[in-house]
Amino acid sequence: MPTRKEVAYFGAGPAPLPTPVLEAGSKAFLNHEGTGLSLAEVSHRSPLATKILNDTKSALASILEMPDSYEILFLHGGGTGEFSAVVFNMVALWVERRRRRAEKELGCDAVKILERVRKELREELKLDYLITGSWSLKASQEAANLLEPLGKNFVNVATDAREMNDGKFTTIPEESTWKLTPTKKEGGAGSAFVYYCDNETVDGVEFPSFPKILESGGQEEDQELFVVADMSSNFLSRHVDVSKYAVIFGGAQKNIGITDTTLVIVRKSLLAMYPSPSFLHAVGVWSPPAIFNWATLAKFNSLYNTIPIFSIWIAGEVMRAILAMHGAQSTYSQENLARDKAKVVYDILDANPKIYQVCPDKKVRSRMNICFRIYGGDEEKEKVFLEGAEKRGLQGLKGHRSVGGIRVSNYNAVPMENVKRLALWLVDFAQPPMT
């Protein structure tokens, strides 16, 4: 039976965790700091749970250098749950902005206000999606499903990368080709939000940086773009200017923890803009379910219901380890390390183009999920590669079932030592008679 040190794991999620964090977690799971209780047993209403929650929030805020104008939430449902939560919450906020505008212009005539907002919802509500991979596609489909009872034209696909490459997700179209909903300043009505997935885990496509076209046109409501980003698979792997986003979310199980915890970072000003459920229902849309209602969760400091304290503690331990290792400006150090690790792999793949073919275009290659085929997708040779990797203790390299091939998930906790072990196998496999 192999030891932990003998296995180099590159799974896409759940992903590796730092061994010291797991060792500390094994003790906390049995008896946390001499309390006689496991962290899986403590009440989520206890002072200990509150301290763990607040300490984890503090660590995250420090790593991200996050402005005080943002709230951190912990909840259930994973990134997929947030596909729905984003629609519920952001549409509610769109309705409230329209209600306030109507009230300002029409006075307190409740009937006229309701009629106007209903009309605007039918004619002007748009949700902009940038589809660059499997997960942003699923998010857009969930939005369309949730809004279908109201109609079929509310989701605006501003760009779909498949149209650039025979139905495959291998690139990100130029921003000049995106068809975002025009703001009022541009002669339109603006969208409720613009959604994108910063790193596509399945397809190995990553935005190189924040899209310039999404830079807010100003602080006026008619100019602002409410940007929502799924950062599940590249969270804390590079510096992020949080102030450019309305909402950032991600599942914890790839870069900061274990399954059962979802992080949401949301602008506090949005949390004060929720309309009453009765007004939403009168307009014709659903109010956000309590378990996904960001304002409700913020009000209760994420303790509206029983949340996984042990999972949140693990995430906090990972974050504190990052701070201890890198200190101030941790994300810049993480970014450099992620880039260097990815370069080791990509350099070997590029040096052997007849054997290895990287799936995405070079300018949008993910640092987190390195996807490639062997001999153009020869499944037998890919099977031989995977079997050889397993014998060398290199695990979790099989590509997603929907696309096949090989996928190297290079998350934060994957050490350079393990990347170099993989590099040796990539070099060996490329040599005859192996190939």
Side-chain angles (χ1 to χ4, degrees), residues 252-278:
Q253 71 274 11
K254 300 181 186 298
N255 270 320
I256 58 169
I258 57 179
T259 57
D260 199 30
T261 301
T262 310
L263 282 162
V264 175
I265 300 171
V266 57
R267 194 178 297 159
K268 288 180 179 178
S269 60
L270 298 179
L271 299 175
M273 288 188 63
Y274 281 68
S276 67
S278 59

Side-chain angles (χ1 to χ4, degrees), residues 286-355:
W286 303 271
S287 56
I291 196 65
F292 284 152
N293 187 309
W294 297 332
T296 297
L297 293 168
K299 179 181 178 181
F300 288 91
N301 192 27
S302 298
L303 294 168
Y304 178 79
N305 70 326
T306 307
I307 58 174
I309 295 301
F310 179 72
S311 300
I312 293 170
W313 180 85
I314 288 286
E317 287 291 290
V318 171
M319 294 173 195
R320 285 184 285 275
I322 291 173
L323 286 169
M325 180 181 299
H326 300 299
Q329 298 186 319
S330 294
T331 51
Y332 291 102
S333 298
Q334 291 283 97
E335 185 169 358
N336 291 337
L337 180 58
R339 182 192 62 234
D340 291 346
K341 290 189 298 177
K343 186 176 186 300
V344 169
V345 177
Y346 281 126
D347 281 354
I348 297 171
L349 300 179
D350 289 340
N352 297 277
K354 292 182 179 180
I355 298 158

Side-chain angles (χ1 to χ4, degrees), residues 52 112 115 153 169-170 192 213 216 238 255 297 374 376 389 395:
I52 289 170
K112 288 185 178 180
E115 289 177 350
N153 300 312
F169 290 119
T170 60
I213 199 172
S216 184
R238 65 181 177 187
N255 270 320
L297 293 168
I374 294 176
Q395 298 184 10

Side-chain angles (χ1 to χ4, degrees), residues 57 60 66 70-76 78-79 81-82 85-86 89 228-229 235 246-251 256 261-267 271 292 294 297 302:
K57 290 169 66 174
L60 179 57
M66 196 175 77
Y70 283 78
E71 182 62 69
I72 299 170
L73 306 174
F74 296 93
L75 60 162
H76 302 282
E82 288 309 299
V86 164
N89 286 273
V228 177
F235 198 61
V247 180
I248 295 170
F249 73 84
I256 58 169
T261 301
T262 310
L263 282 162
V264 175
I265 300 171
V266 57
R267 194 178 297 159
L271 299 175
F292 284 152
W294 297 332
L297 293 168
S302 298

Side-chain angles (χ1 to χ4, degrees), residues 348-423:
I348 297 171
L349 300 179
D350 289 340
N352 297 277
K354 292 182 179 180
I355 298 158
Y356 303 122
Q357 296 82 43
V358 179
C359 298
D361 289 349
K362 197 167 188 176
K363 63 182 179 180
V364 297
R365 287 178 177 178
S366 171
R367 300 159 304 122
M368 296 286 101
N369 306 102
I370 301 168
C371 298
F372 62 95
R373 302 307 300 254
I374 294 176
Y375 280 101
D378 186 317
E379 294 184 1
E380 283 303 312
K381 283 188 168 56
E382 289 176 345
K383 182 179 179 182
V384 171
F385 175 88
L386 291 170
E387 290 174 348
E390 287 279 343
K391 292 176 182 178
R392 290 161 176 78
L394 307 170
Q395 298 184 10
L397 290 168
K398 189 175 182 179
H400 191 272
R401 62 186 181 278
S402 64
V403 295
I406 313 297
R407 174 172 57 176
V408 180
S409 292
N410 176 40
Y411 296 134
N412 292 344
V414 174
M416 179 63 87
E417 174 188 356
N418 286 359
V419 173
K420 289 181 177 179
R421 285 176 58 185
L422 172 62

